[in-house]
Amino acid sequence: MGLQAQPYGIQGMLKEGHKHLSGLDEAVVKNIDACKQLSTITRTSLGPNGMNKMVINHLDKLFVTSDTATIVNELEIQHPAAKILVLAGKAQQEEIGDGANLTVSFAGELLQGAEDLIRMGLHPSEIIIGYTKAINKVVEILEGLVEEGSDTMDVRNKDEVILRMKAAVASKQYGQESILCPLIADACIQVCPKNPVNFNVDNVRVAKLLGGGLHNCTTVRGMVLKGDTVGSIKRIEKAKVVVIAGGVDTTATETKGTVLIHSAEQLENYAKTEEAKVEELIKAVADSGAKVIVSGAAVGEMALHFCERYKLMVLKIASKFELRRFCRTTGAVALLKLGTVNPDDLGHVDSISVEEIGGARVTVVRNEEGGNSVTTVLLRGSTDSILDDLERAVDDGVNTYKALCRDSRIVPGAAATEIELARKLKEFSFTETGLDQYAIAKFAESFEMIPKTLAENAGLNAMEIISSLYADHASGNVKVGIDLEEGACKDVSTLNIWDLYVTKFHALKYAADAVCTVLRVDQIIMSKPAGGPGRREQAAMDED
Amino acid sequence: MASMMQPQIILLKEGTDTSQGKPQLISNINACMAVADVVRTTLGPRGMDKLIHDDKGNTTISNDGATIMKLLDVVHPAAKILVDIAKSQDSEVGDGTTTVVLLAGEFLKEAKPFIEDGVHPQNLIRSYRIASFMVDFLNSYPCSILHMNIYDLGAIEKIKELAVSIEGKSSDEKRSLLAKCAATTLSSKLIGGEKEFFASMVVDAVFAIGNDDRLNMIGIKKVPGGTMRDSFLVNGVAFKKTFSYAGFEQQPKKFLNPKILLLNIELELKSEKENAEIRLSDPLQYQSIVDAEWNIIYDKLDKCVQSGAKIVLSRLAIGDLATQYFADRDIFCAGRVAEDDLHRVAAATGGTVQTSVNNVIDEILGSCEVFEEKQVGGERFNIFSGCPSGQTATIVLRGGADQFIEEAERSLHDAIMIVRRAMKNSTVVAGGGAIDMELSRYLWQHARNIAGKSQLFINSYAKALEVIPRQLCDNAGFDATDVLNKLRQKHALAAGWSFAIYFKNKNKKSFSSEGALYGVDINTGGISDSFANFVWEPAVVKINAINAATEAACLILSVDETVKNPKSESAQGEAAGGMGRGRGGGMRGGRGRGMRRR
């Protein structure tokens, strides 16, 4: 330290090694740059024609996906400002389960606009005010774009569900949505409770089995468990089920104990009494009318022997979660240990059978009766990465169903809504008098990113598309969007591409919020990374 | 000061490697093509084998695409997808693993120039999917190609009988038909020279296990020595004689219609329970305890004898006391029988495995017609044959070197899978590249009706399909161009046309399509009617191969960016070993910009 000049200002107050950045050029613009970089990565994945990313995470697992939530999750973003965008994307994923890409990419575009405005001379606070006004206006306009009569729908009508789900699934698995959507819709409708608002995403399961192709995918009312049954009985129909959470075995003491034997007689009878005890337990189960024993832990050999003798099917489900779902499927009450079985605790299955699918043996548990249980979507594909990606598409579809159970309103898809928002917002900006009208106009311009990216990703001429979209919208045709198949502009009501209102609403709102947060930062103070993996924390969120 | 403090924008963790855009896509394609090139030469009857020497010093000689891909230890993320599809083909159909890798590689190769010319990959993907659907449609059409072949054969009287039988009429004819499929698979393997011999063996084995076809019910036992011809099929179970104690020699070694008791307990003097302890206050009682232990084992043995069983098998040890006890009473016993062998015996003889000798009822005893202990090469084998439920079969393989038998086992596995699939989906297509040529022709023709860019893409897809006959020729040393041209001409004949018309009219009688059945004749170096020459393969193999290859190709084409995060500590050590190998093995020339450095 000796020779170095005395640090001044804020540097003097901080420990050596801290980095301190402030002001427009150093902090704000840098943050914007980082966010822009992030959104360039996600952007090419937007829309049905979006490209996949190959992400190899730190555990060496390979992801091939266009699902933004997965990409940003596995990317391990370091930059603090970019992390805000990631959080916005995650919030969207958790709230709706879809539209994370829209959030991140749109936020990136808004920040790009903000940078232009800053270079123009606007102060970030003015931009923030403008953006806030804009987003409020957008919400207003968006509500006006809702398709008439879509607010009431029958969530059990497959066609209507597919209509709303298609866009979400197509953005992940384009060209295969016509196969996937009916499957997902079927599965969702089957498990939909009487009050749709209580729809539980967990009730739609996904089983991935290597081999075959998309055409072999099916739904199973019930569950698909990997692995074989324990005993030799492989198929059973219309049976009562008893679920034992503990193991099916002789009970052993937790404390280490030793059996003391005093006479030859005791020694001879020792094994016999144990055997008799197990038989008694299994017989009790068999007498209760149960035909299937489901065990949550190991099944003892002696117990298995008697199960075979009494022609009981034995199934082992090691995962506690699976076991709980199994109980839900069959309506059984899990018992802690073997013993007297109350008839009320028994569950019912229509059939349990071991089937061989694509070289793997799986146990299929079917329960056609009893509406509100578990449905499994059986996915087939030739590689693990395809299966994982299909699973994400199914998850998105199911989440969309959950969202539409709560709010079924829809807006035109295929960028029709975005163009309309851009147009209306621009008109609105002219009525504003302050400097924030520039910000509002930029906000409006940012919407163009969506049709532009959609067109670019599809290999179309973006400029041409946007101008013709504007032309159509100006002539009052507010439902005109991009037809990616033909590369032309068409009325989306003929194409049947609709987005859920809530998805759009939240995505735009989260994006705008994230952008305002990033813009509010004018100082970055980074402490010296401690030993080990470097971690940079963000501090000082000064309110202007 | 300020300029010194300028940080670069660190978006991602240090050490993260990203690459994106067209060069990345091209390098992915290059990597996949490199992998496809490795297995390329193994295709077909004249395909060469690969010798793979792994880091543990094990040597594997194989012709099986899936085995090679597995052993290659590919680390390139895109090329890994090819390994995955090979595995998936292996588990779904069992054979055609080389085909699937080759097709995927070829699809990508055809796509490469388009990508370089600036075509958006999504356009290619869409066209490839359409093409694959069309192929699919062709295959899964209610009157699929098999049926087309059948009706076509209707003209040829003698094969007509055969062709009808696959529908499940006569089991004898069905057998010979399925044997043809198995022979086609086997012809490309090491044991191709004895394909008829093994083909009928495989078909018999599959028939033996019946409809409830569980693959593990077919056991394959390997005994080095002898020749391939010495291999035989046991209609029941066979396993190597287990370790035996003194007294074993006195036991009879052959039974007719014996009862069989299957146990899961130890017939040995041992402590009854680990956690039991004996405390004696009176030394006189000591003898009684010793007696009690003997009583327990004698009691067990007695119960075994009383059950009436003549053969006692146990998963656990059968001690010398028990061995002699059984020998005295003319009972055969074997301890430490491998679990899957025991289960197979249970399935074959209709018995159930017991964990207790108490209360042995007749119901749980198994039986078979003949049991004997036989000398096979240097080993003695216990053989159960003529089993009542007959759900098992065991193939005892003989042959020279270890690697040879290993490869023979893999080949048989493939053949068994093929026959099982052919039984389930009773449609077969003409092999020898005939079906590929026909599909290719169909696509070319179809593409003409499509306006726009996708016409080119579908044409390239069609061209990629031709790789199968081309590679067959290359591997056999024929002039591929010449043979392919002959094939194209044959397939384009008017006869080929009627194939397409057939779908419209469904007019069975007037249908004939000689051209469509022509494939590479591996023996003469020309072309011949594959169907008439019995080069058949189940349609499901082709459907799955084309589906999987298209899916994989689309997946690789749809990637425009790779992000690799630095490995966490735990994953590092594990993966480091694998990487070196992968590099030396399959990745030659596959290292482009997209290839991860470490």
Side-chain angles (χ1 to χ4, degrees):
Chain A
M1 266 308 235
L3 284 177
Q4 218 163 10
Q6 192 70 22
Y8 56 92
I10 195 161
Q11 282 292 316
M13 309 193 301
L14 297 169
K15 240 194 205 167
E16 203 187 343
H18 275 242
K19 281 181 184 169
H20 171 246
L21 306 161
S22 66
L24 279 183
D25 274 335
E26 273 187 20
V28 182
V29 175
K30 286 279 174 251
N31 280 347
I32 292 176
D33 264 355
C35 296
K36 261 164 53 192
Q37 277 187 22
L38 175 68
S39 77
T40 352
I41 294 180
T42 61
R43 207 172 154 162
T44 46
S45 295
L46 188 74
N49 276 344
M51 302 291 282
N52 285 343
K53 309 285 165 199
M54 220 178 231
V55 183
I56 302 156
N57 74 357
H58 63 104
L59 292 171
D60 230 15
K61 185 171 166 28
L62 173 66
F63 294 85
V64 182
T65 183
S66 63
D67 184 62
T68 311
T70 315
I71 297 171
V72 293
N73 221 351
E74 300 303 331
L75 274 183
E76 293 182 29
I77 305 290
Q78 285 282 296
H79 196 280
K83 261 190 182 157
I84 297 177
L85 252 60
V86 173
L87 287 178
K90 278 189 184 157
Q92 169 78 6
Q93 185 71 16
E94 266 156 37
E95 182 71 26
I96 310 291
D98 183 34
N101 200 342
L102 181 62
T103 316
V104 177
S105 304
F106 187 62
E109 189 66 19
L110 282 180
L111 283 170
Q112 163 105 48
E115 192 186 351
D116 293 350
L117 292 172
I118 288 171
R119 294 207 189 286
M120 236 167 79
L122 258 75
H123 193 269
S125 63
E126 281 153 347
I127 303 174
I128 293 170
I129 294 170
Y131 276 7
T132 320
K133 270 190 188 159
I135 188 68
N136 289 339
K137 183 70 187 170
V138 162
V139 171
E140 219 172 275
I141 304 169
L142 195 62
E143 218 143 314
L145 290 176
V146 169
E147 180 72 2
E148 270 171 51
S150 66
D151 47 344
T152 51
M153 73 164 282
D154 180 10
V155 290
R156 288 186 177 74
N157 184 331
K158 194 170 156 189
D159 290 338
E160 281 196 48
V161 172
I162 290 174
L163 185 73
R164 287 164 169 80
M165 199 181 275
K166 215 169 96 184
V169 178
S171 69
K172 299 293 175 300
Q173 291 292 325
Y174 183 54
Q176 305 180 322
E177 74 272 10
S178 52
I179 304 165
L180 276 175
C181 278
L183 286 177
I184 305 170
D186 259 346
C188 289
I189 291 167
Q190 272 165 13
V191 298
C192 187
K194 281 198 192 77
N195 182 3
V197 179
N198 295 334
F199 176 76
N200 186 354
V201 182
D202 190 51
N203 280 344
V204 178
R205 307 299 310 159
V206 173
K208 297 175 283 183
L209 289 164
L210 208 58
L214 199 62
H215 301 275
N216 309 95
C217 296
T218 46
T219 55
V220 174
R221 291 201 71 168
M223 291 172 73
V224 176
L225 305 164
K226 291 212 168 146
D228 210 335
T229 57
V230 184
S232 62
I233 302 169
K234 304 290 181 206
R235 175 178 294 273
I236 207 157
E237 268 174 32
K238 298 228 180 306
K240 293 240 165 73
V241 190
V242 59
V243 178
I244 315 269
V248 177
D249 205 351
T250 44
T251 38
T253 49
E254 285 296 324
T255 343
K256 193 171 157 38
T258 313
V259 183
L260 267 185
I261 294 174
H262 291 289
S263 71
E265 207 173 306
Q266 283 179 339
L267 179 62
E268 277 180 47
N269 288 332
Y270 182 74
K272 280 183 198 149
T273 48
E274 196 188 350
E275 212 175 298
K277 180 73 186 159
V278 177
E279 179 163 15
E280 189 190 310
L281 288 171
I282 302 292
K283 191 163 180 292
V285 173
D287 285 346
S288 72
K291 285 266 185 288
V292 184
I293 294 186
V294 179
S295 164
V299 180
E301 285 190 341
M302 191 55 82
L304 185 60
H305 169 83
F306 284 110
C307 290
E308 297 271 296
R309 193 50 86 72
Y310 287 103
K311 300 264 176 285
L312 295 174
M313 180 189 239
V314 185
L315 210 63
K316 196 178 134 187
I317 301 176
S319 153
K320 293 275 174 244
F321 297 100
E322 281 300 86
L323 199 68
R324 215 160 61 202
R325 275 181 216 116
F326 186 88
C327 288
R328 209 155 54 207
T329 314
T330 57
V333 178
L335 303 173
L336 259 181
K337 58 186 180 89
L338 276 174
T340 42
V341 181
N342 190 340
D344 294 342
D345 296 344
L346 292 179
H348 172 84
V349 287
D350 281 332
S351 76
I352 297 182
S353 58
V354 179
E355 285 170 28
E356 190 184 306
I357 303 177
R361 300 189 73 77
V362 291
T363 311
V364 182
V365 181
R366 279 174 217 274
N367 202 6
E368 310 280 339
E369 289 159 26
N372 177 19
S373 59
V374 176
T375 299
T376 305
V377 180
L378 198 67
L379 292 179
R380 307 296 314 279
S382 44
T383 70
D384 286 329
S385 3
I386 291 180
L387 282 174
D388 287 347
D389 214 26
L390 281 175
E391 185 188 10
R392 282 188 279 271
V394 173
D395 280 350
D396 276 9
V398 176
N399 279 320
T400 311
Y401 186 80
K402 183 186 82 179
L404 71 83
C405 277
R406 289 174 194 164
D407 188 345
S408 65
R409 281 177 292 172
I410 47 175
V411 290
T417 307
E418 280 80 3
I419 285 292
E420 190 57 22
L421 285 173
R423 200 176 61 89
K424 289 251 175 79
L425 203 57
K426 209 162 237 175
E427 278 170 17
F428 170 71
S429 75
F430 297 139
T431 63
E432 283 293 306
T433 45
L435 273 175
D436 43 358
Q437 70 153 286
Y438 293 107
I440 298 171
K442 263 289 180 256
F443 198 108
E445 247 171 63
S446 304
F447 277 117
E448 284 174 17
M449 183 274 294
I450 312 280
K452 194 169 140 215
T453 317
L454 281 180
E456 268 173 8
N457 287 351
L460 304 171
N461 186 342
M463 278 299 120
E464 231 168 71
I465 297 276
I466 292 179
S467 54
S468 68
L469 277 178
Y470 268 128
D472 276 328
H473 279 255
S475 61
N477 235 340
V478 293
K479 284 185 205 161
V480 171
I482 312 174
D483 178 5
L484 291 175
E485 306 249 336
E486 287 178 26
C489 299
K490 266 191 183 168
D491 194 329
V492 287
S493 51
T494 59
L495 296 170
N496 258 333
I497 303 172
W498 302 95
D499 287 335
L500 276 186
Y501 165 76
V502 274
T503 315
K504 276 269 144 68
F505 173 76
H506 280 114
L508 298 179
K509 193 105 177 89
Y510 286 140
D513 286 353
V515 166
C516 291
T517 315
V518 172
L519 286 178
R520 282 216 172 92
V521 177
D522 81 330
Q523 277 196 342
I524 309 174
I525 301 167
M526 290 187 282
S527 61
K528 186 186 179 185
R535 224 166 257 293
R536 291 185 182 89
E537 226 67 50
Q538 188 198 6
M541 286 237 275
D542 275 4
E543 302 277 88
D544 282 14
Chain B
M1 186 85 191
S3 67
M4 213 178 76
M5 300 293 294
Q6 198 83 288
Q8 339 111 281
I9 305 167
I10 306 164
L11 184 63
L12 301 168
K13 226 186 198 170
E14 245 172 279
T16 306
D17 196 353
T18 67
S19 42
Q20 68 182 103
K22 211 155 73 173
Q24 147 78 7
L25 186 49
I26 299 280
S27 95
N28 276 348
I29 294 178
N30 285 340
C32 293
M33 274 159 58
V35 170
D37 277 339
V38 174
V39 292
R40 182 177 288 273
T41 51
T42 64
L43 187 82
R46 297 288 156 89
M48 304 300 280
D49 289 358
K50 303 280 167 200
L51 191 147
I52 298 152
H53 190 78
D54 69 14
D55 58 347
K56 290 189 194 76
N58 297 329
T59 313
T60 313
I61 300 175
S62 184
N63 184 304
D64 181 44
T67 313
I68 298 171
M69 295 298 276
K70 250 182 257 168
L71 290 171
L72 275 184
D73 231 337
V74 176
V75 286
H76 191 285
K80 253 187 191 162
I81 292 172
L82 292 193
V83 181
D84 279 352
I85 55 168
K87 278 187 197 158
S88 121
Q89 174 84 3
D90 198 37
S91 64
E92 182 74 10
V93 227
D95 193 28
T97 46
T98 308
T99 312
V100 74
V101 176
L102 202 53
L103 277 177
E106 201 65 18
F107 288 151
L108 289 171
K109 190 176 166 187
E110 289 296 331
K112 195 173 150 191
F114 289 116
I115 302 286
E116 276 166 346
D117 287 350
V119 171
H120 197 275
Q122 286 293 350
N123 287 335
L124 269 165
I125 291 171
R126 201 180 314 145
S127 301
Y128 274 15
R129 285 225 174 101
I130 292 172
S132 135
F133 281 144
M134 280 202 301
V135 169
D136 229 27
F137 160 80
L138 214 61
N139 275 322
S140 59
Y141 201 77
C143 303
S144 69
I145 299 188
L146 161 81
H147 299 252
M148 148 208 141
N149 285 333
I150 290 171
Y151 298 123
D152 159 53
L153 294 167
I156 314 160
E157 206 56 45
K158 71 175 179 198
I159 311 174
K160 186 182 173 188
E161 297 161 11
L162 287 174
V164 178
S165 74
I166 203 161
E167 239 72 308
K169 295 272 158 36
S170 140
S171 112
D172 269 355
E173 281 162 12
K174 200 169 168 183
R175 261 164 208 264
S176 70
L177 229 105
L178 290 172
K180 301 284 185 301
C181 292
T184 308
T185 307
L186 288 173
S187 67
S188 66
K189 312 282 180 194
L190 202 57
I191 51 176
E194 303 283 354
K195 61 180 179 188
E196 282 87 7
F197 176 73
F198 282 109
S200 64
M201 184 185 281
V202 164
V203 173
D204 285 346
V206 175
F207 264 78
I209 61 168
N211 290 329
D212 184 29
D213 58 350
R214 291 161 59 194
L215 189 60
N216 57 3
M217 282 297 135
I218 299 182
I220 298 181
K221 300 284 163 192
K222 294 165 283 187
V223 186
T227 64
M228 280 189 285
R229 281 259 169 198
D230 294 333
S231 309
F232 59 91
L233 175 82
V234 178
N235 209 350
V237 190
F239 55 85
K240 212 168 98 183
K241 186 189 80 99
T242 54
F243 177 78
S244 59
Y245 288 94
F248 181 76
E249 289 73 26
Q250 280 86 47
Q251 292 177 350
K253 298 285 153 39
K254 184 163 183 178
F255 289 99
L256 291 175
N257 294 318
K259 289 233 158 75
I260 301 161
L261 177 63
L262 307 165
L263 294 175
N264 192 16
I265 51 169
E266 287 178 352
L267 292 176
E268 235 179 346
L269 259 183
K270 69 164 232 324
S271 72
E272 199 56 31
K273 262 284 186 238
E274 273 83 40
N275 60 352
E277 193 179 315
I278 299 172
R279 288 226 181 119
L280 296 174
S281 42
D282 181 6
L284 291 176
Q285 275 193 353
Y286 192 77
Q287 186 58 39
S288 71
I289 294 290
V290 174
D291 287 345
E293 284 198 336
W294 283 83
N295 278 344
I296 291 173
I297 177 89
Y298 275 124
D299 183 46
K300 281 185 190 167
L301 295 175
D302 210 35
K303 278 178 177 148
C304 294
V305 176
Q306 271 170 19
S307 69
K310 283 285 157 201
I311 295 169
V312 178
L313 302 180
S314 177
R315 198 173 69 82
L316 297 168
I318 293 182
D320 38 7
L321 173 76
T323 309
Q324 278 166 29
Y325 189 89
F326 285 136
D328 289 345
R329 285 155 186 81
D330 282 347
I331 292 175
F332 177 85
C333 73
R336 295 193 198 280
V337 178
E339 194 165 2
D340 49 343
D341 282 331
L342 197 70
H343 280 299
R344 236 177 269 141
V345 176
T349 62
T352 30
V353 182
Q354 301 291 304
T355 317
S356 150
V357 285
N358 294 327
N359 194 13
V360 173
I361 44 174
D362 229 25
E363 209 178 297
I364 52 108
L365 292 179
S367 75
C368 68
E369 273 171 27
V370 187
F371 165 79
E372 58 183 331
E373 192 178 297
K374 253 199 205 163
Q375 186 79 25
V376 177
E379 315 272 3
R380 290 197 71 78
F381 263 74
N382 295 336
I383 297 172
F384 300 81
S385 50
C387 298
S389 53
Q391 281 173 350
T392 53
T394 308
I395 294 172
V396 180
L397 264 184
R398 306 296 313 277
D402 276 341
Q403 283 99 351
F404 182 84
I405 306 189
E406 295 280 335
E407 172 66 3
E409 186 192 354
R410 278 191 290 272
S411 311
L412 282 187
H413 171 258
D414 283 5
I416 290 169
M417 290 296 283
I418 285 293
V419 175
R420 289 174 64 206
R421 296 296 164 208
M423 263 170 89
K424 263 193 195 153
N425 320 285
S426 53
T427 46
V428 293
V429 292
I435 180 72
D436 307 275
M437 281 309 287
E438 186 57 23
L439 292 174
S440 168
R441 186 202 58 78
Y442 177 80
L443 287 178
W444 277 105
Q445 200 176 313
H446 190 89
R448 277 187 220 151
N449 303 330
I450 299 171
K453 277 183 276 191
S454 51
Q455 179 183 2
L456 286 172
F457 306 148
I458 290 181
N459 278 348
S460 74
Y461 187 93
K463 188 163 172 246
L465 282 172
E466 284 181 359
V467 72
I468 303 289
R470 190 183 313 128
Q471 198 59 44
L472 282 175
C473 294
D474 279 348
N475 288 351
F478 307 146
D479 182 353
T481 322
D482 190 35
V483 175
L484 235 63
N485 275 333
K486 278 190 204 155
L487 277 177
R488 281 203 200 105
Q489 182 261 347
K490 266 286 180 209
H491 282 261
L493 278 182
W497 261 100
S498 60
F499 169 61
I501 297 163
Y502 166 74
F503 279 110
K504 283 175 196 152
N505 302 337
K506 287 194 196 170
N507 190 343
K508 295 164 189 175
K509 288 279 152 57
S510 70
F511 175 69
S512 88
S513 70
E514 282 146 31
L517 298 174
Y518 271 78
V520 180
D521 188 335
I522 219 73
N523 296 318
T524 61
I527 58 170
S528 68
D529 187 337
S530 296
F531 209 78
N533 286 335
F534 303 119
V535 183
W536 298 356
E537 43 189 341
V540 64
V541 175
K542 269 281 127 77
I543 296 173
N544 203 55
I546 291 173
N547 262 340
T550 312
E551 266 182 26
C554 290
L555 192 67
I556 289 163
L557 285 178
S558 73
V559 173
D560 76 334
E561 178 157 3
T562 310
V563 179
K564 185 171 175 148
N565 287 324
K567 275 194 220 67
S568 62
E569 296 291 313
S570 60
Q572 203 129 38
E574 199 179 298
M579 284 192 167
R581 257 177 291 147
R583 205 189 219 174
M587 302 312 306
R588 272 170 288 119
R591 253 175 284 138
R593 259 196 60 203
M595 178 71 186
R596 304 272 68 80
R597 312 270 168 177
R598 53 237 124 198

